[in-house]
Amino acid sequence: MPATPPSPGRLPSLTGLRFAAALLVFGVHAYSFIPLADPPADRVAGILFNGGDLGVSFFFVLSGFVLTWSVRPGYRPGRFWWGRLARVYPAHLVALVPAVVGLMLTARLPDIWPRLLAFSAPLVQAWHPSDVYYLGINPVTWSLSCEMAFYLAFPLLYAGLRRLGTTALRVAAVALPAAVWLMPVVADLLIAAEHRRWFVYIFPPVRMLEFLLGIVLALLVRRGAWRGPGLPVATALWVVNYLAVEWLPAQARDTAATIVTIGLLVPAAALADLYGRRSWWRHRVAVHLGEVSYAFFLLHLVVIVTVMHLVGRDREWTAWQAVGLTLAFLVGSYLLAVPLHRWVELPAMRRLRPTPPATPPGPPEPPTRDRRQTGPAPRQDALTG
């Protein structure tokens, strides 16, 4: 019988993993904007960091999982949507200010910036096929544009998927990663060449496949029907998978490359929390970094790009200089993220987020092979919401 977890229903390991995903995205941006003079060092850095875009895929799967896990009795779509607005928009809108300032300081603010801001501020830029628009102002927020589409659709998606039987959910858990792998093929057949990158990597309905996978995985875990490796094995499989992505086709590398191992890792981390198994991601340092990860994600690229343009974008750096710059960007982005998290993100959530229904969650139940098992009752986790 698994040990009873110390805080039933909470999933702090998923909060810790959020920072790991943000760190992957930071790594690919640092690698992209710090040219290395040494080809062997550049090759090693490419293997370690060039697949960092896959952190976004992790975010999308994790988002679907956590939102499903957080549904409790008395759930209402209107309350859910308002909570999502309170969670995302305040910090995003504040982070647009340093983004615009950085563009001005480096003389990169385009003449059409008011039009770009009109797409970026309400987070609808991912629907535009031009990279001038979907990467405008603060480029990383295209993924938030996708998330807002996911949030809008979530009540309908959840209502439909929760009615599926366990066998159908298991089929979906296999079919959805397969569909992600097929999207580059669909793009080659149906989408104009100049828009294929947008379709595969940016277009919200395509990226929603990963979000749907997260919902399906959470439903399987809630029913006690998930059968997968434990956290150590799932982590090892993901690491090996990630280090091999450089040898995969470019279009699949940015989205599909690790979708299978992400689908193993997220439930494994959740179950480690539920049944008290060892998880480094539950450590208070990891959880703190996960709490700050949204603000860190919003600010890190502004810091990297602004500084690199000020010091000279075309200059090449030795390996040790690049390591020093990367660490400076990491620490600097964290130091800026903490006040954004504490003074904007958290107060906005406290003041704007609706009060959830006062229905206490029940204790988790151990997994069982009975497909009728409903599993542990969900509970809102403010850290991962």
Side-chain angles (χ1 to χ4, degrees):
M1 181 73 67
T4 302
S7 182
R10 292 179 65 85
L11 306 176
S13 289
L14 297 187
T15 302
L17 280 169
R18 281 175 55 191
F19 185 75
L23 198 60
L24 288 177
V25 179
F26 168 86
V28 70
H29 290 150
Y31 171 68
S32 300
F33 285 91
I34 305 176
L36 284 165
D38 184 9
D42 183 69
R43 179 59 180 159
V44 172
I47 294 173
L48 293 176
F49 301 116
N50 202 33
D53 285 346
L54 291 162
V56 176
S57 183
F58 191 96
F59 278 132
F60 290 163
V61 175
L62 186 64
S63 180
F65 190 101
V66 169
L67 291 179
T68 302
W69 192 260
S70 299
V71 173
R72 59 168 71 181
Y75 158 83
R76 297 175 183 173
R79 186 187 298 272
F80 166 79
W81 286 324
W82 183 252
R84 292 295 89 197
L85 291 176
R87 174 72 175 84
V88 171
Y89 273 100
H92 155 63
L93 293 175
V94 171
L96 285 176
V97 176
V100 172
V101 171
L103 291 171
M104 295 174 63
L105 286 175
T106 55
R108 294 180 297 118
L109 190 66
D111 293 337
I112 62 168
W113 71 267
R115 196 183 310 168
L116 299 181
L117 195 61
F119 278 82
S120 295
L123 294 175
V124 295
Q125 68 270 43
W127 296 92
H128 199 294
S130 170
D131 60 356
V132 174
Y133 283 85
Y134 66 71
L135 297 179
I137 309 299
N138 188 1
V140 300
T141 58
W142 71 263
S143 64
L144 300 182
S145 181
C146 289
E147 289 278 8
M148 295 311 296
F150 303 164
Y151 299 158
L152 186 63
F154 176 76
L156 182 62
L157 298 174
Y158 174 76
L161 289 171
R162 69 188 293 266
R163 288 175 169 80
L164 295 179
T166 299
T167 300
L169 287 174
R170 285 174 170 159
V171 171
V174 175
L176 286 166
V180 174
W181 274 96
L182 283 174
M183 286 303 104
V185 178
V186 173
D188 287 342
L189 294 175
L190 302 178
I191 307 299
E194 64 271 20
H195 294 151
R196 286 173 188 164
R197 165 73 174 174
W198 165 76
F199 177 82
V200 173
Y201 190 64
I202 305 291
F203 190 39
V206 171
R207 299 311 300 261
M208 194 176 290
L209 294 169
E210 294 146 278
F211 181 76
L212 284 168
L213 178 61
I215 296 175
V216 168
L217 295 174
L219 290 172
L220 286 169
V221 171
R222 279 173 54 173
R223 296 182 186 185
W226 173 253
R227 300 292 180 265
L231 185 56
V233 174
T235 302
L237 289 173
W238 182 88
V239 170
V240 171
N241 186 182
Y242 175 80
L243 293 176
V245 299
E246 279 293 286
W247 289 272
L248 295 174
Q251 285 178 298
R253 186 178 62 213
D254 291 337
T255 56
T258 57
I259 190 65
V260 173
T261 51
I262 288 172
L264 297 176
L265 180 58
V266 171
L271 288 169
D273 287 342
L274 288 171
Y275 301 114
R277 298 165 188 157
R278 181 177 299 179
S279 171
W280 185 88
W281 299 108
R282 197 163 55 235
H283 190 279
R284 59 190 179 92
V285 173
V287 171
H288 164 71
L289 292 174
E291 290 177 304
V292 179
S293 63
Y294 176 51
F296 176 88
F297 179 78
L298 288 171
L299 294 171
H300 78 276
L301 187 57
V302 173
V303 172
I304 293 172
V305 176
T306 301
V307 173
M308 291 308 298
H309 274 87
L310 290 175
V311 302
R313 179 68 179 87
D314 297 327
R315 175 181 172 182
E316 292 188 332
W317 305 81
T318 66
W320 287 112
Q321 288 174 329
V323 169
L325 273 174
T326 301
L327 291 176
F329 289 146
L330 181 64
V331 174
S333 298
Y334 168 78
L335 292 176
L336 291 173
V338 169
L340 180 62
H341 170 68
R342 290 182 178 175
W343 299 339
V344 177
E345 186 181 350
L346 289 181
M349 289 169 61
R350 284 194 296 265
R351 294 175 184 176
L352 300 177
R353 222 171 189 177
T355 303
T359 304
E365 300 175 19
T368 176
R369 295 188 181 274
D370 183 357
R371 293 183 179 181
R372 296 171 296 176
Q373 170 71 30
T374 57
R379 174 177 175 181
Q380 179 72 25
D381 186 348
L383 302 182
T384 54

